[in-house]
Amino acid sequence: MDVFTIPNAITYLRIFLIFILVLFFVVDDPSLEPLHLLFFTIAAATDYLDGYIARLWSMQSNLGKILDPIADKLLVSTMLLLLASDGIVVGYSLIPASIIICREIIISNFRAVLAESDLALNVSYSAKYKTALQFIAIFFLISGDYGNSFFIYSHDLGIIALWLSAVFTFYSAVIYLYNNSNKIIG
């Protein structure tokens, strides 16, 4: 049974860490700031680690193919919502955050509909890059929230990375839809 493989356990860990990260925002204790950043970094790293181990040890599973992108979308969307609610992502910066969240919902729904027809969306490398950029943006935005606990330009770098990741996010959605248009329309 592929439910309890090591790669799937790593993905479950990423999902569990989302709740820990939410708790850090709720508690809002400055002494926990380094742990907050550490737990986010671990959660982001598990995105690479679960897939790497699955390929290395030939442990790919259908459940993993479903859970991994869901875990990514949950992590990114939750963090963007928390950053917005905490006043870290505000004003025009809400535009790229909205693009990212909307894209994730749209592509997830296309995947769900196609899965009912035993079809799957082909994954592109641009999607992997957009996820990495999203994680980088969130990392800088979290560290920038802590004043000079990381460095003074963290928030600015986070906003720039957020806009850049929104461009990649939009591009990857276009690529997904173009590459799979025959499945979607037909």
Side-chain angles (χ1 to χ4, degrees):
M1 181 178 270
D2 63 3
V3 174
F4 297 109
T5 64
I6 292 171
N8 287 348
I10 293 170
T11 304
Y12 298 143
L13 173 65
R14 182 159 69 253
I15 293 168
F16 174 75
L17 287 173
I18 294 168
F19 298 103
I20 302 297
L21 292 166
V22 170
L23 189 61
F24 281 119
F25 269 92
V26 172
V27 171
D28 196 26
D29 180 353
S31 68
L32 298 175
E33 293 168 358
L35 283 176
H36 190 186
L37 207 51
L38 175 66
F39 277 93
F40 175 76
T41 303
I42 291 169
T46 64
D47 179 40
Y48 172 78
L49 187 62
D50 60 2
Y52 177 77
I53 290 174
R55 288 184 299 278
L56 181 69
W57 294 341
S58 297
M59 299 179 90
Q60 294 102 331
S61 67
N62 288 332
L63 180 61
K65 290 176 187 175
I66 293 168
L67 276 182
D68 182 61
I70 289 172
D72 294 343
K73 288 163 183 32
L74 288 173
L75 177 60
V76 168
S77 297
T78 301
M79 293 306 297
L80 289 175
L81 290 170
L82 290 169
L83 289 165
S85 73
D86 211 31
I88 298 165
V89 174
V90 296
Y92 288 112
S93 299
L94 292 170
I95 294 170
S98 298
I99 290 170
I100 291 166
I101 292 171
C102 288
R103 182 263 187 210
E104 303 305 1
I105 293 169
I106 291 167
I107 297 300
S108 293
N109 282 321
F110 276 121
R111 280 187 171 163
V113 169
L114 292 176
E116 291 175 5
S117 306
D118 292 329
L119 298 172
L121 286 177
N122 299 322
V123 178
S124 67
Y125 280 103
S126 63
K128 296 182 185 303
Y129 296 135
K130 66 98 183 155
T131 303
L133 272 171
Q134 290 169 353
F135 288 155
I136 290 167
I138 292 167
F139 175 86
F140 280 120
L141 289 168
I142 293 171
S143 63
D145 184 39
Y146 300 139
N148 47 10
S149 63
F150 188 63
F151 65 91
I152 195 165
Y153 298 110
S154 288
H155 183 266
D156 296 336
L157 286 172
I159 295 298
I160 291 167
L162 185 65
W163 278 98
L164 206 70
S165 68
V167 170
F168 266 88
T169 298
F170 183 79
Y171 173 76
S172 74
V174 170
I175 295 299
Y176 262 132
L177 298 176
Y178 177 79
N179 287 344
N180 297 285
S181 59
N182 59 335
K183 297 174 188 173
I184 295 166
I185 297 170

